[in-house]
Amino acid sequence: MKTTQNIDVTVDAIVFGYNKEIGVTVLLIKRKNDPFKGQWALPGGFVEPTESLELAVARELKEETGVKINYLEQLYTFGQPDRDPRKRIISVAYFGIVKSSQFKKLKAADDAEDAEWFKIKHLPALAFDHQKILKMAIDRLRSKMIYQPIGFELLDKKFPFSDLEHLYSTLLGRPIDRRNFRKKVMGLGILEELDEKAPSLGAGRPGNLFQFNKATYNQLVKEGMHFEI
Amino acid sequence: MKTTQNIDVTVDAIVFGYNKEIGVTVLLIKRKNDPFKGQWALPGGFVEPTESLELAVARELKEETGVKINYLEQLYTFGQPDRDPRKRIISVAYFGIVKSSQFKKLKAADDAEDAEWFKIKHLPALAFDHQKILKMAIDRLRSKMIYQPIGFELLDKKFPFSDLEHLYSTLLGRPIDRRNFRKKVMGLGILEELDEKAPSLGAGRPGNLFQFNKATYNQLVKEGMHFEI
DNA sequence: ATATTTTGTGTTGTTTTCACGCAATAAAGG
DNA sequence: CCTTTATTGCGTGAAAACAACACAAAATAT
């Protein structure tokens, strides 16, 4: 066995949020230190020798931005020898989602001079190879939401149906037929309709509230259901 | 920035092969050194400080088994703190496929005392967390082959249609309707029918040979084709 | 009260998938 | 050579999924 390899390991987080007015956003931090000091980058940092990768992501996110993650999965590992100017660093990227409700609450801290949500349509220049990582994450989000109900993770716990509609419509980049969409989604049997109306915002008839039933979804998946929108 | 983290990075390879008589197989090596000396394990090893992860996989596979990989993609990164008894080691697992034709040629060498193909239905006990890694790879193979033509990578360059049929039937674990399957696959327009017949094995009418056209496939994907079996 | 905005629902024609049967081809065996 | 046997290769009808489409009901704003 080798004595030392001298490769360092970091985690990076691509965290998505959503809001009907703003659209889909991603969480970025402004770097406080070199290299790329002052530039925007994905939140993340070095893995401690005794913590799991997932724990490292959660810790870094809390330290740097204060957000609470609702969904987390591994995205990809980036290991090109020259991706960091300092030394060989391998980064395990994680893909995260926060609920709509608390997607604004941010508090920059630690390594971060600032933390902000950026619309995925208007992104600043990023440090390292984070542009590439982020692009992969966005692709994953887009392709994943048509065969897995991660769309619901972006919304609030209770939401009017139109929110779901808008989310899918914006993220897929095309208009969707309200009636067919509703038929399909309701047919999956993973949404519960509540006896509660959405608070009205301006004019128009307020819609009923719905909520995603994750337990039912997991059950159906285990039985071999094939989800697709 | 930290001085040293003392986490090591390895790559592991899950390489699949296929043969009509034997079925789907995976390449394993018998470890020559501790820990887990004498046990079967996934081929792999430490990443050199200056080589890319993909290069490390290719090098280790050549060193330990001599196989030539036809398709390679990253699977997942395993980083539980206790997954190696020696020290903290993070492993980036890669998923590979060799063509049916040369799936037997093996030469154990380097760190490996032996190298062999095992049917995925009959696996030995494995070192480290390789059981878990392999399970994930098999799941990925199964789920991936229905929306990406990686099945073709397992077959020979030229193959009779029935081979493809058998492959899908065994891997999906259910019988498939030959007529509908043929219609669907041919409808994708990524298979070329050759003016050549398969060598007859035993009785029965020999089938025509086909070959996968990867260029056409890539073209179609770029145009937004949605492949599904 | 009237205008405006947003929700909620049903039908029909079209396309895709699935299930299924039979004739044609070629090798093997007598 | 001729029969037997195994395997290929094609077509059709029934069922299911999908896409297109319009209007009444509920609530707010003026």
Side-chain angles (χ1 to χ4, degrees):
Chain A
M1 164 183 177
K2 314 177 88 78
T3 55
T4 187
Q5 211 182 12
N6 206 24
I7 299 180
D8 277 354
V9 179
T10 61
V11 286
D12 285 312
I14 304 92
V15 179
F16 293 106
Y18 176 74
N19 178 288
K20 195 162 36 163
E21 284 78 44
I22 303 176
V24 180
T25 57
V26 64
L27 180 55
L28 299 177
I29 59 149
K30 189 178 259 180
R31 289 179 59 83
K32 202 186 264 179
N33 304 314
D34 265 322
F36 296 102
K37 180 174 171 178
Q39 275 222 35
W40 292 98
L42 295 170
F46 291 93
V47 176
E48 295 292 337
T50 59
E51 74 186 348
S52 71
L53 299 175
E54 288 77 13
L55 204 64
V57 177
R59 179 181 51 71
E60 291 285 353
L61 275 175
K62 204 170 99 185
E63 284 177 10
E64 294 182 341
T65 69
V67 299
K68 180 175 163 246
I69 289 296
N70 180 238
Y71 175 89
L72 188 72
E73 73 170 40
Q74 199 184 99
L75 174 66
Y76 197 79
T77 297
F78 296 83
Q80 280 306 110
D82 57 355
R83 57 178 295 284
D84 192 300
R86 292 167 289 186
K87 60 173 299 200
R88 180 77 188 270
I89 294 188
I90 284 177
S91 172
V92 185
Y94 277 78
F95 172 106
I97 294 179
V98 299
K99 285 235 172 272
S100 174
S101 51
Q102 54 155 19
F103 110 98
K104 37 213 138 45
K105 307 168 193 160
L106 287 181
K107 61 148 215 260
D110 197 67
D111 262 7
E113 182 188 305
D114 196 2
E116 258 182 50
W117 292 102
F118 285 83
K119 293 192 225 185
I120 61 174
K121 289 285 179 191
H122 293 104
L123 294 167
L126 297 181
F128 306 105
D129 55 354
H130 289 187
Q131 189 87 43
K132 183 174 149 196
I133 300 179
L134 181 50
K135 181 182 178 327
M136 190 184 274
I138 293 172
D139 288 349
R140 175 99 136 227
L141 178 63
R142 286 226 172 82
S143 69
K144 194 145 194 169
M145 71 188 309
I146 68 177
Y147 65 90
Q148 253 184 53
I150 48 170
F152 301 106
E153 312 286 353
L154 279 164
L155 297 176
D156 232 329
K157 187 169 173 182
K158 301 173 180 181
F159 54 87
F161 205 89
S162 55
D163 276 16
L164 187 65
E165 213 182 296
H166 287 137
L167 171 60
Y168 271 81
S169 167
T170 42
L171 210 37
L172 299 179
R174 57 180 153 89
I176 56 181
D177 183 290
R178 190 148 43 94
R179 285 166 289 188
N180 292 336
F181 182 73
R182 192 185 186 109
K183 245 179 294 178
K184 196 175 248 175
V185 173
M186 291 314 272
L188 299 171
I190 55 178
L191 272 193
E192 286 167 1
E193 186 161 5
L194 305 173
D195 268 341
E196 206 174 334
K197 299 220 171 299
S200 79
L201 38 119
R205 170 180 174 181
N208 233 318
L209 287 180
F210 290 79
Q211 115 184 350
F212 173 48
N213 190 329
K214 202 160 187 169
T216 308
Y217 170 71
N218 288 332
Q219 180 58 29
L220 289 172
V221 165
K222 200 161 18 173
E223 290 168 12
M225 181 188 76
H226 182 63
F227 180 95
E228 178 152 355
I229 295 226
Chain B
M1 161 183 182
K2 314 177 90 77
T3 56
T4 186
Q5 211 181 9
N6 206 25
I7 299 180
D8 277 355
V9 179
T10 61
V11 286
D12 285 312
I14 304 93
V15 179
F16 291 106
Y18 176 73
N19 178 287
K20 195 165 31 165
E21 283 78 43
I22 303 177
V24 180
T25 57
V26 64
L27 180 55
L28 299 176
I29 59 150
K30 188 178 259 179
R31 288 180 60 83
K32 201 186 266 178
N33 304 312
D34 266 323
F36 296 101
K37 180 174 172 177
Q39 277 222 34
W40 291 99
L42 295 170
F46 290 93
V47 176
E48 296 290 338
T50 59
E51 74 187 347
S52 71
L53 299 174
E54 289 77 14
L55 204 63
V57 178
R59 179 181 51 71
E60 291 285 353
L61 276 174
K62 203 170 97 188
E63 283 176 11
E64 295 183 338
T65 68
V67 300
K68 182 177 161 244
I69 289 295
N70 180 241
Y71 175 87
L72 189 71
E73 71 170 39
Q74 197 184 103
L75 174 66
Y76 198 79
T77 296
F78 296 83
Q80 280 306 109
D82 57 354
R83 55 179 297 282
D84 191 300
R86 292 167 289 187
K87 62 172 297 198
R88 180 78 188 270
I89 294 188
I90 283 177
S91 172
V92 185
Y94 276 79
F95 171 107
I97 294 179
V98 299
K99 284 234 171 272
S100 174
S101 52
Q102 54 153 20
F103 109 99
K104 38 213 135 46
K105 306 167 193 161
L106 288 181
K107 59 146 216 263
D110 197 65
D111 262 7
E113 183 189 304
D114 196 3
E116 258 181 51
W117 292 102
F118 285 82
K119 294 193 228 187
I120 61 173
K121 289 284 178 192
H122 294 103
L123 294 168
L126 296 182
F128 305 105
D129 55 353
H130 289 188
Q131 191 86 43
K132 182 174 149 197
I133 299 179
L134 182 48
K135 181 182 179 328
M136 190 184 276
I138 293 172
D139 288 349
R140 174 97 137 228
L141 178 62
R142 286 226 172 83
S143 69
K144 194 146 192 168
M145 72 187 310
I146 68 176
Y147 65 92
Q148 252 185 53
I150 50 171
F152 301 106
E153 313 285 354
L154 278 164
L155 298 175
D156 233 329
K157 186 168 174 184
K158 300 172 181 180
F159 54 87
F161 204 89
S162 54
D163 275 18
L164 187 65
E165 213 182 296
H166 287 136
L167 171 61
Y168 271 81
S169 167
T170 44
L171 210 38
L172 298 180
R174 57 177 155 93
I176 55 179
D177 184 290
R178 187 146 41 90
R179 293 156 289 191
N180 291 335
F181 183 72
R182 179 181 273 251
K183 248 179 291 179
K184 198 174 247 177
V185 174
M186 292 314 271
L188 299 172
I190 57 178
L191 272 194
E192 286 167 2
E193 186 161 7
L194 304 174
D195 268 340
E196 207 174 335
K197 298 218 171 302
S200 81
L201 39 119
R205 170 181 174 181
N208 231 321
L209 287 180
F210 290 79
Q211 117 184 345
F212 173 47
N213 190 329
K214 201 161 188 170
T216 308
Y217 170 70
N218 288 332
Q219 180 59 28
L220 289 174
V221 166
K222 199 159 19 170
E223 291 168 12
M225 181 188 75
H226 182 63
F227 180 95
E228 178 150 358
I229 294 229

